[in-house]
């Protein structure tokens, strides 16, 4: 069976899990990945997850600080299709392996750079730990109300690492697609900073609207309330196990109440007889207490059996990654595999990121030993890829000419399709006549500005024969169709793969849902907090909350509040970035092997990847470092500290960094802290000593003093995420916040691309109104103005008023 990337060679010069996961996925789909390691190996091999992100690769040991090592690396790059580099921009330049140098030597090369902060700007050379990027960009401040204490809270799940890895995959596969068309190599750039942009879904726009209207920005607490909505409530079962609910839409919430045996009981009372959306505060709190009290009557397993039987309740228990590796849906869908490592024995780990049915990933080989393949790799001769460059009309738009049809709602699938639009695809989204329900969650429709960016929108009634015919006509012309229906619904709507393939055999048909097609929950609904709980993200972020014994209803209410704030919106973007990667891999398979296919992406697997640092199991595996109860961080040298004024985040993981910190901070440590082992043994004492030290200066002073000498320390409470993305000079300097014009909101800076491909700066489109392009799309399909007017009168098609 063909593989997407067979015959392609990838040289991976990155260190650690970000580039590691990216090149692992490329290896899973057939690429020959050569992992170039420094003498002694990648220092991040010490991480517990390295047996997974090193799988399927060959290892060669080179000293890139020596002339001989650099010469050998240059020779390897000469014969490669893809070269991956990491770290600050100056590192690749020092090695002569930056994009300019590498592409001059090998014009057909795809050069992928994964940095922390971007390729230029005032932060470009700053230390690149995920915690520093999360702190400076406001992500830790966004968690500040998780606990009822002042100050930011540590962002535990490494979502920037996850999204940057997927961004690299997207950029590399998009560039390879473009090379198939024009024969040219490309530069691909992504960063941890860009990778955090998908996780701000609204605030960047709110900041700009508040500035324009000259009033203060409403906090997200004011927008969404402090307690969980009833739809998304964590509930505590009788065996003290927490269950996360995700019943966003009214019919799902009513099914939840019915499963609890509360629906009839509550409808008998006048105050509950309106739609839940219309309940006043007192009614909501009465319903909350009744729900929380009822759930205490059965165990989590008993409730989950009831929810499964109902079939319309979105809910999953909170669990650890080790527990989640045995989740029936992960197992039944083949998303957990076992590879035997010659040193560790059997290693249970995550399987492929997505199921491409005609060109599947086949991960088989264990992680290599350091330098295991030195002799064979350095003895191989391989010519440069043979491509003849042709003129291209739009450099920087690798998906030019690709038509994506999106029939999806809310966040995960639409945001994934928006990433394809940022790479140049034409994305046409079909919405219900009333518009995507996500548009109506805030009155002015601002919620959908991000998820509709760069697209065209047509509103269709797919339950009508005429609406289905229009959708089928669009699908016949499309390269990709993305939907997030539950199994069976596409077939009822006339857009099932078997039917569409007859007229469009090259179609890439992508199903995005909660659980995948084959497990016991295949037909169950899911929304973002459910996989967040099931795949351990919220468990990790919640700190000690899950283990706290609740003796009263008030304690249950408080812990449920903390859990919902820990289980923020990241599970949807965690899925979106995987959708982009899966679609691009399938498109490359279509171009290389001449086949369309079905593709399945599920939220469980995508969120397991976001927690990939812990999603494997083998004998002797170390436990994932736990976040402390106060959500300051992981240890004394990777955590938040209050300064004299403001807060800082400190990030040091090596002995060299420790010594430099002591010199720059005028800190004379005693013998208890001399080595890494001693610092671990005396962590409580070190935390206390460093806490006192940081109280001696303001946060901004510490950042300026330590960063100037390469020590990782940034202010953590300076800005909110929205203000950072809209206003920070470094963001603007890198082009991460391009200007657009929205039909309702006028000119605004939108969230920039996850990854850029090529040298030109493409034009990034704005968010769209529901049905904004209905008439234009129907006219393109050959419908007359008179026929369009008839369809509007019949409410088969529609448009949202500005």
């Amino acid at each position: 069976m063909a593989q997407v990337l067979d015959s392609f060679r990838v040289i991976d010069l990155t260190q650690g899990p970000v580039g590691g996961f990216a090149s692992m996925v490329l290896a899973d789909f057939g690429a020959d990945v050569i992992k170039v390691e420094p003498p002694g190996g990648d220092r991040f091999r010490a991480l517990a997850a390295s047996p997974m992100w090193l799988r399927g690769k060959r290892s060669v040991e080179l000293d890139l600080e020596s002339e001989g090592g650099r010469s050998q690396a240059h020779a390897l790059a000469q014969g490669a299709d893809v070269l991956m580099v990491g770290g600050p921009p100056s590192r690749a330049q020092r090695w002569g392996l930056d994009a300019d140098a590498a592409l001059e030597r090998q014009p057909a090369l795809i050069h992928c750079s994964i940095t922390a902060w971007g390729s230029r700007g005032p932060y470009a050379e700053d230390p690149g730990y995920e915690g520093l990027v999360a702190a400076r960009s406001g992500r830790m401040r966004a968690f500040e109300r998780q606990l009822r204490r002042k100050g930011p809270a540590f962002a535990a799940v490494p979502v920037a690492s996850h999204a940057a890895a997927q961004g690299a995959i997207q950029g590399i596969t998009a560039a390879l697609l473009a090379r198939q068309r024009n024969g040219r190599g490309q530069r691909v750039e992504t960063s941890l900073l860009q990778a955090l942009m998908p996780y701000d879904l609204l605030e960047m726009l709110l900041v700009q609207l508040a500035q324009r209207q000259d009033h203060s920005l409403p906090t997200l607490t004011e927008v969404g309330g402090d307690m969980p909505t009833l739809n998304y409530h964590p509930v505590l079962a009788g065996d003290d196990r927490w269950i996360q609910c995700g019943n966003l839409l009214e019919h799902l919430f009513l099914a939840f109440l019915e499963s609890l045996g509360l629906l009839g009981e509550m409808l008998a009372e006048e105050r509950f007889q309106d739609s839940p959306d219309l309940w006043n505060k007192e009614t909501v709190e009465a319903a909350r207490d009744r729900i929380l009290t009822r759930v205490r009557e059965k165990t989590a397993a008993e409730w989950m059996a009831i929810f499964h039987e109902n079939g319309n309740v979105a809910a999953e228990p909170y669990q650890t990654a080790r527990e989640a590796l045995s989740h029936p849906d992960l197992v039944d869908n083949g998303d957990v595999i076992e590879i035997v490592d010659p040193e560790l024995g059997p290693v249970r780990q995550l399987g492929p990121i997505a199921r491409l049915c005609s060109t599947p990933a086949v991960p088989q080989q264990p992680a290599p030993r350091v330098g295991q393949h030195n002799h064979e790799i350095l003895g191989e001769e391989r010519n440069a890829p043979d491509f003849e460059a042709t003129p291209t009309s739009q450099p920087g738009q690798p998906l030019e000419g690709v038509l994506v049809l999106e029939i999806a709602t809310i966040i995960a699938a639409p945001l994934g399709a928006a990433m394809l639009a940022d790479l140049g695809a034409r994305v046409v989204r079909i919405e219900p006549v009333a518009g995507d329900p996500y548009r109506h969650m805030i009155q002015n429709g601002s919620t959908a500005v991000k998820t509709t960016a760069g697209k065209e929108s047509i509103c269709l009634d797919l339950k009508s024969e005429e609406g289905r015919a229009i959708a089928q006509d669009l699908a016949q012309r499309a390269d990709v169709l993305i939907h997030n229906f539950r199994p069976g619904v596409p077939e009822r709507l006339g857009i099932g793969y078997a039917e569409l393939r007859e007229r469009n055999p090259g179609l890439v048909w992508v199903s995005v849902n909660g659980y995948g097609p084959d497990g016991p929950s295949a037909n169950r609904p899911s929304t973002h907090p459910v996989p967040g709980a099931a795949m351990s993200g919220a468990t990790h972020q919640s700190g000690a909350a899950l283990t706290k014994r609740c003796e009263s209803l008030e304690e249950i209410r408080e812990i449920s509040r903390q859990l919902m704030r820990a289980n923020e919106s990241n599970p949807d973007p965690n899925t979106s970035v995987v959708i982009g990667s899966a679609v691009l891999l399938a498109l490359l398979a279509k171009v290389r092997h001449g086949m369309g296919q079905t593709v399945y992406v599920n939220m469980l697997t995508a969120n397991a990847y976001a927690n990939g640092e812990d999603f494997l199991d083998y004998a002797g595996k170390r436990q994932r470092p736990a976040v402390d109860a106060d959500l300051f961080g992981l240890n004394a040298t990777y955590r938040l500290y209050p300064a004299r004024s403001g807060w800082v985040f400190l990030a040091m993981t090596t002995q060299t960094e420790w010594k430099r910190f002591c010199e720059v901070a005028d800190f004379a440590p005693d013998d208890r802290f001399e080595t890494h082992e001693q610092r671990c043994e005396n962590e409580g004492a070190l935390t206390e000593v460093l806490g006192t030290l940081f109280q001696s200066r303001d946060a901004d002073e510490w950042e300026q003093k330590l960063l100037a000498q390469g020590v990782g320390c940034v202010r953590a409470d300076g800005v909110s995420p929205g203000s950072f993305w809209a206003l920070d000079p470094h963001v603007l300097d890198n082009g991460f916040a391009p200007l657009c014009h929205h039909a309702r909101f006028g000119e605004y800076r939108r969230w920039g691309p996850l990854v850029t491909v090529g040298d030109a700066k493409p034009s990034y489109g704005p968010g769209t109104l529901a049905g904004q392009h209905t008439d234009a799309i129907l006219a393109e399909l050959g419908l007359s103005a008179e026929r369009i007017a008839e369809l509007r009168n019949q409410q088969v098609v529609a448009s949202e008023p500005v």
Side-chain angles (χ1 to χ4, degrees):
M1 188 175 288
Q3 284 199 275
V4 179
L5 298 171
D6 53 23
S7 79
F8 284 156
R9 174 170 287 186
V10 178
I11 308 298
D12 182 4
L13 298 176
T14 68
Q15 291 200 58
V18 182
F21 272 110
S23 60
M24 181 207 78
V25 171
L26 301 180
D28 285 353
F29 283 93
D32 174 21
V33 176
I34 296 176
K35 167 76 172 171
V36 178
E37 305 195 60
D42 185 333
R43 74 179 179 95
F44 294 98
R45 277 180 174 263
L47 296 178
S50 65
M52 178 164 59
W53 50 259
L54 287 168
R55 76 184 182 207
K57 306 174 187 178
R58 297 193 288 163
S59 171
V60 62
E61 200 173 4
L62 296 178
D63 182 4
L64 295 181
E65 299 302 332
S66 72
E67 185 175 346
R70 290 193 295 274
S71 177
Q72 290 172 314
H74 293 173
L76 287 174
Q78 285 283 98
D81 297 277
V82 178
L83 175 65
M84 297 173 58
V85 300
S90 61
R91 180 185 298 169
Q93 292 168 0
R94 187 174 73 247
W95 293 339
L97 290 164
D98 57 292
D100 289 339
L103 286 167
E104 184 176 350
R105 289 191 296 266
Q106 211 270 70
L109 182 70
I110 307 304
H111 183 282
C112 177
S113 172
I114 307 172
T115 62
W117 303 98
S119 60
R120 58 184 179 273
Y123 310 152
E125 293 293 319
D126 287 350
Y129 292 104
E130 165 137 354
L132 296 174
V133 179
R136 178 182 258 164
S137 66
R139 181 164 173 78
M140 292 192 188
R141 181 174 167 181
F143 281 106
E144 68 179 335
R145 289 188 62 84
Q146 185 179 333
L147 299 180
R148 296 193 185 277
R149 66 160 175 82
K150 294 181 179 179
F154 181 68
V157 181
V159 295
S161 296
H162 168 62
Q166 298 302 318
I169 297 164
Q170 290 182 25
I172 288 167
T173 49
L176 288 169
L177 268 169
R179 191 179 70 171
Q180 294 288 125
R181 182 177 69 244
N182 59 39
R184 296 176 182 272
Q186 298 272 20
R187 66 182 73 218
V188 174
E189 294 184 359
T190 191
S191 64
L192 293 177
L193 186 59
Q194 287 168 271
L196 281 180
M197 280 191 288
Y199 299 92
D200 173 32
L201 296 169
L202 180 60
E203 193 185 359
M204 182 181 181
L205 178 64
L206 294 182
V207 165
Q208 295 173 82
L209 296 180
Q211 280 189 321
R212 189 179 306 166
Q213 297 164 16
D214 195 28
H215 61 70
S216 61
L217 170 69
T219 68
L220 294 183
T221 298
E222 291 170 339
V223 172
D226 194 42
M227 288 295 291
T229 65
L230 297 182
N231 316 68
Y232 276 179
H233 220 294
V235 292
L236 184 63
D239 57 350
D240 291 329
R241 289 206 65 184
W242 285 92
I243 298 172
Q244 176 64 56
C245 301
N247 301 294
L248 176 63
L249 303 178
E250 183 174 296
H251 72 282
L252 301 179
F253 180 62
L254 295 178
F256 171 62
L257 293 180
E258 182 180 35
S259 293
L260 297 183
L262 287 176
L263 184 59
E265 176 184 317
M266 292 171 67
L267 287 177
E269 299 181 36
E270 183 177 353
R271 58 178 171 170
F272 294 121
Q273 289 173 2
D274 284 332
S275 166
D277 291 337
L278 301 177
W279 289 351
N280 60 32
K281 182 177 180 180
E282 290 73 18
T283 302
V284 167
E285 293 310 314
R288 187 192 314 279
D289 289 349
R290 196 168 297 192
I291 290 168
L292 292 175
T293 300
R294 178 60 55 88
V295 174
R296 291 293 277 166
E297 296 176 4
K298 297 181 187 294
T299 67
E302 290 171 326
W303 283 122
M304 289 307 301
I306 291 170
F307 297 157
H308 272 262
E309 184 178 358
N310 180 284
N312 275 314
V313 179
E316 284 288 336
Y318 282 77
Q319 58 186 348
T320 65
R322 185 168 187 174
E323 292 170 328
L325 273 170
S326 298
H327 192 291
D329 289 277
L330 278 186
V331 173
D332 289 357
N333 281 285
D335 297 331
V336 175
I337 61 174
E338 183 174 282
I339 296 177
V340 178
D341 186 281
E343 297 178 358
L344 301 173
V347 180
R348 293 187 72 224
Q349 56 193 278
L350 288 173
I353 59 167
R355 186 191 303 182
L356 277 62
C357 292
S358 298
T359 57
V362 188
Q364 293 178 320
Q365 298 301 317
R369 299 185 305 276
V370 177
Q372 179 179 340
H373 305 94
N374 277 12
H375 181 72
E376 67 182 63
I377 290 172
L378 297 179
E380 290 173 349
E381 292 187 8
R382 180 181 168 96
N383 294 325
D386 185 17
F387 284 92
E388 183 178 349
T390 59
T392 179
S393 58
Q394 286 201 37
Q397 293 288 314
L399 298 189
E400 177 190 1
V402 172
L403 174 59
V404 177
L405 185 61
E406 173 205 315
I407 313 178
T409 57
I410 315 296
I411 298 171
L415 184 56
M419 294 172 187
L420 302 175
D422 284 351
L423 288 167
R426 181 188 180 192
V427 179
V428 175
R429 74 184 319 241
I430 294 177
E431 304 189 46
V433 170
D436 183 341
Y438 189 50
R439 294 182 179 276
H440 308 303
M441 293 186 180
I442 291 182
Q443 190 172 11
N444 64 4
S446 57
T447 45
V449 170
K450 181 168 188 171
T451 55
T452 62
K455 304 178 187 179
E456 300 167 43
S457 172
I458 177 173
C459 288
L460 289 179
D461 178 8
L462 292 179
K463 295 181 181 179
S464 70
E465 183 177 345
E466 297 92 339
R468 289 194 297 273
I470 294 168
Q472 290 170 339
D473 199 354
L474 286 168
Q476 185 175 348
R477 303 163 187 242
D479 298 283
V480 179
L481 184 148
I482 301 173
H483 75 84
N484 63 354
F485 294 113
R486 286 194 257 176
V489 176
E491 288 72 20
R492 291 199 296 273
L493 296 176
I495 54 170
Y497 179 64
E499 182 175 351
L500 296 179
R501 180 180 56 186
E502 293 181 6
R503 293 192 291 172
N504 185 358
L507 180 66
V508 174
W509 188 89
V510 184
S511 169
V512 180
N513 62 22
Y515 294 97
D518 293 333
S521 299
N523 290 290
R524 293 179 61 223
S526 181
T527 52
H528 82 260
V530 170
M535 295 296 107
S536 91
T539 301
H540 192 37
Q541 179 65 46
S542 64
L546 279 174
T547 60
K548 181 177 175 59
R549 175 79 178 175
C550 295
E551 302 289 352
S552 67
L553 186 59
E554 280 307 307
E555 288 177 317
I556 294 174
R557 286 168 60 98
E558 172 56 19
I559 297 301
S560 73
R561 185 196 70 81
Q562 293 180 27
L563 291 178
M564 194 58 220
R565 290 199 166 274
N567 199 354
E568 38 106 38
S569 60
N570 78 62
D572 269 328
N574 285 343
T575 307
S576 303
V577 296
V578 171
I579 293 167
S581 298
V583 169
L584 283 156
L585 286 162
L587 279 172
L588 185 56
K590 175 181 177 179
V591 170
R592 296 194 72 213
H593 302 301
M595 61 177 73
Q597 61 182 305
T598 54
V599 176
Y600 293 97
V601 179
N602 71 75
M603 296 183 77
L604 288 187
T605 301
N607 279 276
Y609 264 87
N611 290 277
E613 61 179 347
D614 199 34
F615 253 90
L616 71 170
D617 193 29
Y618 53 88
K621 174 181 171 283
R622 295 183 305 280
Q623 288 189 340
R624 183 190 222 178
V627 184
D628 68 286
D630 291 317
L631 301 181
F632 291 132
L634 301 180
N635 55 58
T637 57
Y638 200 86
R639 62 163 277 162
L640 291 156
Y641 286 98
R644 183 172 61 191
S645 172
W647 288 72
V648 297
F649 185 81
L650 177 69
M652 300 185 295
T653 65
T654 69
Q655 186 70 9
T656 299
E657 290 169 335
W658 169 255
K659 289 182 177 180
R660 190 181 303 141
F661 169 78
C662 293
E663 293 172 4
V664 177
D666 301 320
F667 177 58
D670 58 43
D671 293 342
R672 293 175 297 170
F673 314 132
E674 183 64 27
T675 66
H676 172 74
E677 292 73 18
Q678 289 173 315
R679 291 191 290 276
C680 291
E681 290 173 5
N682 299 284
E683 185 178 327
L686 180 57
T687 300
E688 185 176 346
V689 169
L690 291 179
T692 301
L693 176 67
F694 279 111
Q695 289 284 343
S696 66
R697 296 175 185 265
D698 294 341
D700 290 329
E701 293 181 69
W702 279 119
E703 176 177 318
Q704 183 177 7
K705 182 179 180 68
L706 295 177
L707 279 184
Q709 300 302 318
V711 176
C713 180
V714 298
R715 184 169 182 181
D717 66 333
V719 293
S720 67
S723 296
F724 180 83
W725 299 121
L727 305 173
D728 189 271
H730 180 88
V731 171
L732 304 183
D733 193 15
N734 277 276
F736 294 161
L739 280 168
C740 288
H741 190 277
H742 190 276
R744 175 173 295 147
F745 300 113
E747 187 175 76
Y748 74 106
R749 290 196 177 275
R750 53 152 280 185
W751 299 263
L754 176 63
V755 61
T756 57
V757 179
D759 294 314
K761 291 184 177 180
S763 175
Y764 295 107
T768 58
L769 301 179
Q772 185 173 335
H773 308 90
T774 294
D775 289 2
I777 292 170
L778 293 175
E780 184 181 336
L781 295 177
L783 278 69
S784 67
E786 293 75 17
R787 179 56 180 153
I788 294 171
E790 289 177 6
L791 292 172
R792 283 187 174 277
N793 288 334
Q794 296 166 4
Q795 295 188 318
V796 172
V797 304
S799 298
E800 174 186 6
V802 175

